Amino acid sequence: MRRFFFFFSFTLCISSWSQRPNKPNASEIYHQIEKLNFLGNVLYIAAHPDDENTRLIAYLSNELHARTGYLSLTRGDGGQNLIGPELRELLGIIRTQELIEARKIDGGEQFFTRANDFGFSKNPTETLQIWDKNLVLSDVVWAIRAFRPDVIINRFDHRSPGTTHGHHTASALLSMEAFDLANQPNQFSNQLDYVQTWQPHRIYFNTSWWFYGSKEKFEKADKSNQAQLQIGVFYPFAGKSNQEIAALSRSCHQSQGFGNTGSRGEEFEYLEFLKGSPPIEKNNLFDGIDTTWNRLTDGKAVGELLSKVQKEYNPNNPGASVPDLVKAYLLIQQLQDPFWRNQKSEEIKAIISACAGLYLEAVADVQEVTPGNTLKVKLEAINRSSNAITINRVESAPKTKAIWENQNLAFNKSCTTSFQLTLPSTLAYTSPYYLKEAGTIGMYSINNQELIGKPDVLRPTQVTFYLRILGVEIQFTRTIIYKYNDDVKGEVYQPLDIVPIVTSTIKEKVAIFPKNRSREIHVIVKSGKDNVSGAVSLSVPEGWKASPERVPFSMQHKGETTTIEFVLAPPKEASEAVIQSLVTVDEKVYSHDKIDIIYPHIYKQMVLKPASAKAIKLDIKTNAAKIIYIMGAGDEVPESLTQMGYEVLITKPDAITPELLATADVVMTGIRAYNVVSQLAFKQKLLLDFVKNGKTMIVQYNTLDDLVTQDIAPYPIKISRDRVTEENAEVRFLEPNHPILNTPNKITEADFKGWKQEQGLYYPNEWDAQFTAVISSNDQGESPKDGAILVAPYGKGTYIYTGLSFFRELPEGVPGAYRLLANLISAKN
C-alpha cells in the first residue's frame, strides 16, 4: 500500500504546481492524447536551474511525446539575483518557482535532490566533499527508480573535471554512477519500501560545439557515436516552433537574466552515447524500446481503444471522445504495473476533464489563515459536454468533510456552493518542506523519503470531487486556492497559506555597534488573525542587555502590524550576538519571521524563518561620508551602509546631475550595475568628473559580458572570470602600508575570517599601471588573483574597483567586511 501511495503522489504533485486552472484548447487536448499513447520516459540531469536545455526538453516532450523530467541537483541557492535582494535559500525559492513555470511551458516535469548550491566550485572533488556524496547519489538513484526513465541525458561531461563548474561535472559523475546502481537491490535498499529497482536502457551526453571550444572544431569532430536530432520542428497545436517554446521556457529564469528570443527553422542537438544498450538506429533515442501500450503485458486492449480515440478525435466536439476515454480509464485501473497504472490514470483523467469541458475549482475567501481557524470555501463545477456527469460527493482535506452530494451537472449549467472548513489546530504552517529542518552548507535535511525530489511547497488543504461520468466514478482533486480581481490585472490567483497567529521581524537584520553606546532595535509584530494580544521580548546572549524586558501589545485586525522599540546595550568588548524576537500569546511563544516573496512571474511564496538578527559590537572607525548609491542587479549593501552610520541616498542614473553629485562624498555602484543599468553609459563622464574633482567612487563587481560601456573606469581595466571561491583562502597584503589597509581601520588577516560562500568574483586580470592592487589570494592549486581591490588616483580623487563579495558578507554580518568597506569609503587620493 505504501508503494501505491508513493507512485500516486509522485505523479499527482505535478498537477498541483499551478494555482491557475489549466484550460487546454482542442489542439492541445489532441496533443495530450498523443502523449497518452506514448509509453516512454526521459530524464535530463544537470546541476542548477538554467542548466537545462529547454530546446531538447521541449522536443522530447512535444515532438517525441515522451514523459520528460528535469532533475536539477540543486535549487540554485548560490547564484546571483538580477531582480531583487534575495540570496541563498530565498533565491533558491525564486529559482525553484522559475523552473516550475518553465516546465509548464516546455512540457517537462521538475525534480530535485537534497544538494544545496553552496556557490561556485571549481572542481567536482570539492563539490562532492561539501555535498554528502552518498546522499546526493541516493537521491539520483531515487529519481531514476521513481521516474523510471528509459533514457537518461546528462547536460555535462563526466570526463572533463576542472573545465566547468564543479557542480556541473559532479552532476554527470553521479548520473553515470546511478545509472548502474538503480537496478541493484542491495544499493539504497530502504527506497524499495516505496519503489522498485529500475535499469534505464541508455545514457547520453548532450554535447555541443561549446564543449569542443569552437564551432569549427565541432564540425571536424568525429560524430559517429552521436545522435543528431533535428529539433527545429513546428507545432501546429501551439502555433510555435520548438525553439520559440524553448525560448519562452528559458525566459522564465528572470532572476538569472536569461531572457531568450526564439528562432525558427532547422536546428540540431547532439547526444553522445555513453553506455547501456546502444541503439541500432543512432538518431532514435528509443530504438529497441517498445513505447506503445504493448510494452505492458495487459496493455494491448488499452492501446487499441486509445488508438481509436486518437483516430476519431473531433476538435469541434472533444466531448464525443469521453465515452471511449472512460472505458479506457477502467481498463487502465486493471493494469498490473502500478507505475504505469498511476501515471496513465492521471494523464487520462486530465484528458477526460478537458474533453468534457469540466471546470472544478475550490476557492478560499482569504489568502492566509491560521491553524484551528475556519475559512469559507466556494466550490464551482461545470460540465460543458453532453455527457452525463454527476457529483457523487465532494470531500475536503485535511479535515474530512463530505459535502455537495448527488449534484447533477447539466450541460453548461454552472453549479456553485460554499462550505465552512475548520482547519486542525495542529496543521503545519506553509513553508518549503526542505527548509523546515536545519541543514548543512552543502545539504538540505529531509528525513521523509517520500518527499525527496518533490519540487514545490506541500499544500494539504484540498477538496476531492467524486464524479460519476457515464456511470463510472472518477476522482478529481483540487488544491484550495485564493483568487481575487485586480482592477488592472483582472483575475489573480494565489496559493492559500497557513500562517502563525503572530509573526515578528527585527527591522535591523544586522545591527552595528561601532562604539559602546546603546541603540534602538525595532521589532515589527504582525497579526495572523483578528484580536491578538500578548507581549514581546528580545532574547539576547550574556553580556548584552535589552530593555524593557517585555512590551505588551494588542491588535484588533488580521494583517495589522505594530512596531515595538527596544534599547539594546552592547558589552564593552568586541562581540557578535544573535538576538531573537519572542512573542507570547496565551502562554505560547511564537518566534517566526514571515517573509513574502512576490514577483509577477511566479506565484507568491511564503517562508518562515527564525525571527532573529545579528548584533555586532565592532571595533570600527568610520567617517561622516555622504554616499550616493546607484543600484545594480539588487543588493542590501545600502542598508548595511546606513547601519554603519553613513548618510545614504539611493538614486537612479537619470537623477544624477552635477548639482546632486556636489552634495556627496562618495558614489558607490551596486553589483552588476554596468551590466544591467543602461543609463550609466550616459552618466559615466559625470561620475568620473566627480572623482576628478576630489571625490571617491567605488565600483562593485560586474561580469565581463554585456557591459553598457567599456569605460567603466578612468583607465583601462579588463574584467575576467577569475574568482576566489574558498572563503577561507589565505589573503596576502601586496601593499601593507597602503591607506586602504590602514586608515581608519588597521586591516589584518583576521578581517577575512568568517567570510561566507566566497571571497570575490569576476576579478579584473588586466589593468592600467595607474591602478594599485592591494590584496591577493587564490583557491588551492591556483595562481594568485590580485584583482580583488584596485585603487587608482584620478585627478584630485580616488577610483576603486572591487570584486569582493560585500553584497554577501554585509548582510551576513561579517565584521571584517564592514571594517574594510569603511576604509574604502574613507579612501583619499
Side-chain angles (χ1 to χ4, degrees):
M1 194 65 183
R2 294 177 72 188
R3 182 173 294 149
F4 171 83
F5 171 77
F6 172 74
F7 279 120
F8 180 77
S9 64
F10 195 80
T11 54
L12 183 61
C13 73
I14 299 158
S15 63
S16 68
W17 290 351
S18 176
Q19 309 301 324
R20 184 178 298 277
N22 187 25
K23 302 174 184 178
N25 59 40
S27 294
E28 292 167 335
I29 293 171
Y30 182 76
H31 180 59
Q32 292 177 4
I33 294 172
E34 290 180 307
K35 290 177 71 71
L36 181 65
N37 277 326
F38 189 93
L39 278 71
N41 299 336
V42 181
L43 186 62
Y44 198 90
I45 298 179
H48 311 107
D50 71 43
D51 283 346
E52 80 275 25
N53 184 339
T54 55
R55 296 184 304 275
L56 189 54
I57 290 176
Y59 173 82
L60 295 168
S61 177
N62 297 297
E63 176 65 12
L64 298 190
H65 306 125
R67 184 184 178 202
T68 307
Y70 174 43
L71 176 62
S72 176
L73 267 58
T74 76
R75 296 176 184 264
D77 325 73
Q80 285 83 52
N81 184 358
L82 284 182
I83 61 175
E86 295 88 357
L87 294 174
R88 295 300 301 142
E89 68 271 16
L90 298 184
L91 175 58
I93 289 168
I94 294 172
R95 298 187 72 185
T96 293
Q97 294 302 313
E98 290 175 339
L99 275 178
I100 289 171
E101 294 300 320
R103 297 295 82 78
K104 293 176 188 176
I105 293 172
D106 59 35
E109 301 174 28
Q110 187 60 51
F111 309 106
F112 295 96
T113 73
R114 285 172 285 184
N116 192 329
D117 178 1
F118 55 83
F120 192 87
S121 176
K122 294 182 177 178
N123 61 76
T125 301
E126 179 200 47
T127 296
L128 296 175
Q129 287 173 347
I130 297 176
W131 290 349
D132 185 323
K133 179 194 173 183
N134 195 57
L135 286 183
V136 182
L137 178 60
S138 75
D139 292 354
V140 179
V141 169
W142 168 255
I144 293 172
R145 288 171 173 174
F147 192 72
R148 285 171 60 168
D150 300 296
V151 177
I152 292 176
I153 301 173
N154 291 341
R155 182 62 180 124
F156 299 103
D157 184 10
H158 66 287
R159 299 158 297 191
S160 53
T163 60
T164 182
H165 197 318
H167 297 181
H168 293 168
T169 310
S171 72
L173 288 167
L174 293 171
S175 176
M176 292 292 288
E177 193 170 346
F179 180 87
D180 296 322
L181 298 181
N183 198 36
Q184 299 180 23
N186 62 337
Q187 297 293 324
F188 309 112
S189 56
N190 62 299
Q191 298 178 3
L192 301 183
D193 289 339
Y194 312 96
V195 293
Q196 298 173 344
T197 58
W198 180 253
Q199 181 59 60
H201 286 263
R202 53 188 66 112
I203 186 169
Y204 291 91
F205 161 46
N206 182 195
T207 189
S208 71
W209 68 264
W210 189 86
F211 293 97
Y212 285 77
S214 70
K215 293 181 180 179
E216 292 74 20
K217 290 180 180 179
F218 185 59
E219 289 176 0
K220 297 176 182 178
D222 179 10
K223 298 184 180 64
S224 59
N225 196 36
Q226 295 180 11
Q228 177 179 289
L229 306 180
Q230 208 294 89
I231 54 92
V233 296
F234 173 71
Y235 301 121
F237 80 89
K240 298 179 179 68
S241 70
N242 186 75
Q243 301 98 309
E244 288 172 316
I245 290 176
L248 292 172
S249 172
R250 187 74 170 167
S251 297
C252 289
H253 295 297
Q254 293 187 21
S255 65
Q256 297 301 106
F258 281 166
N260 202 257
T261 299
S263 60
R264 291 144 294 279
E266 186 177 80
E267 190 172 341
F268 295 95
E269 285 289 339
Y270 296 86
L271 302 178
E272 179 187 351
F273 174 78
L274 297 177
K275 65 179 175 180
S277 173
I280 297 175
E281 184 184 339
K282 73 172 185 177
N283 292 337
N284 180 1
L285 302 189
F286 288 94
D287 183 56
I289 304 169
D290 190 347
T291 57
T292 72
W293 282 94
N294 292 330
R295 82 179 289 171
L296 306 179
T297 56
D298 47 1
K300 182 179 179 181
V302 182
E304 291 175 348
L305 185 53
L306 289 178
S307 293
K308 177 175 178 285
V309 170
Q310 185 172 336
K311 181 179 180 181
E312 297 178 355
Y313 176 74
N314 181 358
N316 293 316
N317 183 19
S321 297
V322 170
D324 282 340
L325 286 168
V326 170
K327 292 176 185 177
Y329 171 80
L330 287 175
L331 291 176
I332 289 172
Q333 305 317 298
Q334 299 171 22
L335 295 174
Q336 296 301 306
D337 188 325
F339 175 83
W340 289 109
R341 182 175 68 240
N342 290 288
Q343 178 179 322
K344 292 302 178 180
S345 289
E346 293 306 308
E347 290 182 24
I348 198 170
K349 282 164 59 177
I351 294 170
I352 291 171
S353 176
C355 285
L358 274 174
Y359 187 85
L360 305 171
E361 190 171 69
V363 180
D365 63 339
V366 292
Q367 198 270 313
E368 295 181 349
V369 64
T370 58
N373 214 332
T374 298
L375 68 155
K376 182 179 179 182
V377 181
K378 178 183 177 181
L379 301 179
E380 180 180 356
I382 187 170
N383 165 28
R384 289 167 287 190
S385 75
S386 59
N387 296 284
I389 301 178
T390 302
I391 298 176
N392 283 351
R393 68 190 184 283
V394 176
E395 291 184 354
S396 64
K399 199 167 184 178
T400 303
K401 180 178 181 180
I403 43 186
W404 217 12
E405 298 177 320
N406 299 317
Q407 172 69 47
N408 180 50
L409 294 181
F411 171 71
N412 208 30
K413 298 286 186 181
S414 179
C415 294
T416 62
T417 191
S418 298
F419 71 98
Q420 299 290 325
L421 177 61
T422 301
L423 301 176
S425 59
T426 57
L427 189 62
Y429 303 134
T430 302
S431 198
Y433 70 91
Y434 53 90
L435 294 179
K436 290 189 175 182
E437 298 181 25
T440 65
I441 292 176
M443 296 295 296
Y444 287 118
S445 177
I446 306 170
N447 295 318
N448 184 339
Q449 180 66 53
E450 292 174 281
L451 295 182
I452 294 171
K454 290 186 181 295
D456 209 353
V457 174
L458 304 177
R459 301 187 182 276
T461 47
Q462 299 177 332
V463 296
T464 299
F465 294 81
Y466 293 81
L467 303 187
R468 187 166 63 250
I469 303 177
L470 301 175
V472 177
E473 185 174 271
I474 305 177
Q475 301 176 23
F476 297 87
T477 297
R478 298 290 184 265
T479 300
I480 299 174
I481 54 90
Y482 171 73
K483 70 176 182 180
Y484 64 96
N485 184 74
D486 181 272
D487 290 343
V488 175
K489 300 176 182 178
E491 190 175 50
V492 177
Y493 282 78
Q494 293 293 357
L496 172 66
D497 289 331
I498 313 301
V499 303
I501 289 174
V502 65
T503 55
S504 62
T505 301
I506 300 177
K507 183 179 179 181
E508 298 81 7
K509 293 301 181 186
V510 177
I512 302 298
F513 294 78
K515 299 178 181 179
N516 290 325
R517 291 196 296 266
S518 301
R519 59 165 295 173
E520 296 172 351
I521 298 294
H522 301 86
V523 177
I524 303 170
V525 183
K526 183 175 183 179
S527 174
K529 69 172 189 176
D530 292 339
N531 301 316
V532 175
S533 60
V536 184
S537 61
L538 274 186
S539 173
V540 299
E542 185 177 354
W544 294 77
K545 184 178 180 181
S547 60
E549 291 186 1
R550 288 167 62 89
V551 179
F553 73 91
S554 180
M555 292 180 284
Q556 304 303 311
H557 303 291
K558 175 182 177 180
E560 185 178 347
T561 63
T562 185
T563 300
I564 295 173
E565 185 178 292
F566 293 88
V567 175
L568 187 60
K572 292 182 179 181
E573 64 280 359
S575 174
E576 296 181 42
V578 174
I579 59 176
Q580 188 163 20
S581 168
L582 303 177
V583 184
T584 303
V585 176
D586 295 331
E587 299 184 352
K588 183 176 180 180
V589 177
Y590 296 85
S591 59
H592 291 104
D593 184 356
K594 185 170 82 70
I595 301 169
D596 291 327
I597 300 175
I598 302 175
Y599 289 100
H601 67 301
I602 60 175
Y603 286 108
K604 171 183 175 289
Q605 300 297 302
M606 186 187 90
V607 186
L608 293 177
K609 298 180 67 177
S612 61
K614 197 168 186 179
I616 305 175
K617 172 59 168 60
L618 188 59
D619 178 16
I620 185 174
K621 297 175 183 177
T622 60
N623 61 16
K626 295 181 179 179
I627 301 173
I628 288 178
Y629 197 93
I630 304 171
M631 274 294 195
D635 57 61
E636 296 179 346
V637 172
E639 181 179 338
S640 299
L641 294 172
T642 301
Q643 286 287 318
M644 295 168 72
Y646 296 111
E647 182 181 330
V648 182
L649 173 65
I650 300 175
T651 188
K652 294 182 179 179
D654 57 7
I656 294 175
T657 64
E659 293 74 20
L660 178 66
L661 291 173
T663 67
D665 303 296
V666 176
V667 166
M668 191 169 183
T669 59
I671 61 173
R672 299 180 73 170
Y674 286 95
N675 296 125
V676 300
V677 184
S678 58
Q679 287 182 317
L680 270 176
F682 309 110
K683 298 292 184 176
Q684 188 66 358
K685 184 179 185 303
L686 277 179
L687 295 174
L688 294 180
D689 285 346
F690 168 81
V691 180
K692 183 185 289 185
N693 291 330
K695 304 298 180 68
T696 299
M697 184 174 182
I698 302 170
V699 176
Q700 295 183 82
Y701 96 91
N702 295 271
T703 67
L704 65 164
D705 302 315
D706 300 321
L707 290 167
V708 300
T709 175
Q710 294 300 314
D711 299 322
I712 65 173
Y715 312 109
I717 189 172
K718 183 178 180 181
I719 300 171
S720 73
R721 298 188 187 277
D722 288 351
R723 61 176 77 203
V724 178
T725 63
E726 297 171 11
E727 59 270 26
N728 57 353
E730 176 194 5
V731 176
R732 299 172 294 276
F733 296 161
L734 299 175
E735 299 288 338
N737 295 322
H738 196 284
I740 289 294
L741 299 176
N742 294 277
T743 306
N745 302 287
K746 178 66 175 178
I747 303 300
T748 69
E749 292 181 3
D751 288 300
F752 291 92
K753 304 297 183 185
W755 284 51
K756 307 297 182 183
Q757 185 168 320
E758 64 200 356
Q759 281 188 5
L761 62 170
Y762 292 101
Y763 291 171
N765 63 352
E766 295 180 21
W767 51 84
D768 189 87
Q770 291 287 339
F771 284 103
T772 297
V774 179
I775 64 173
S776 176
S777 64
N778 54 270
D779 291 331
Q780 292 185 28
E782 294 196 353
S783 61
K785 305 295 183 289
D786 298 346
I789 302 175
L790 298 176
V791 186
Y794 184 61
K796 298 177 182 179
T798 303
Y799 177 96
I800 301 171
Y801 187 94
T802 178
L804 292 174
S805 59
F806 288 110
F807 73 103
R808 294 195 191 279
E809 312 313 322
L810 299 179
E812 291 284 349
V814 176
Y818 280 90
R819 287 165 44 82
L820 180 57
L821 183 57
N823 283 16
L824 298 186
I825 292 170
S826 299
K828 297 293 182 183
N829 185 355

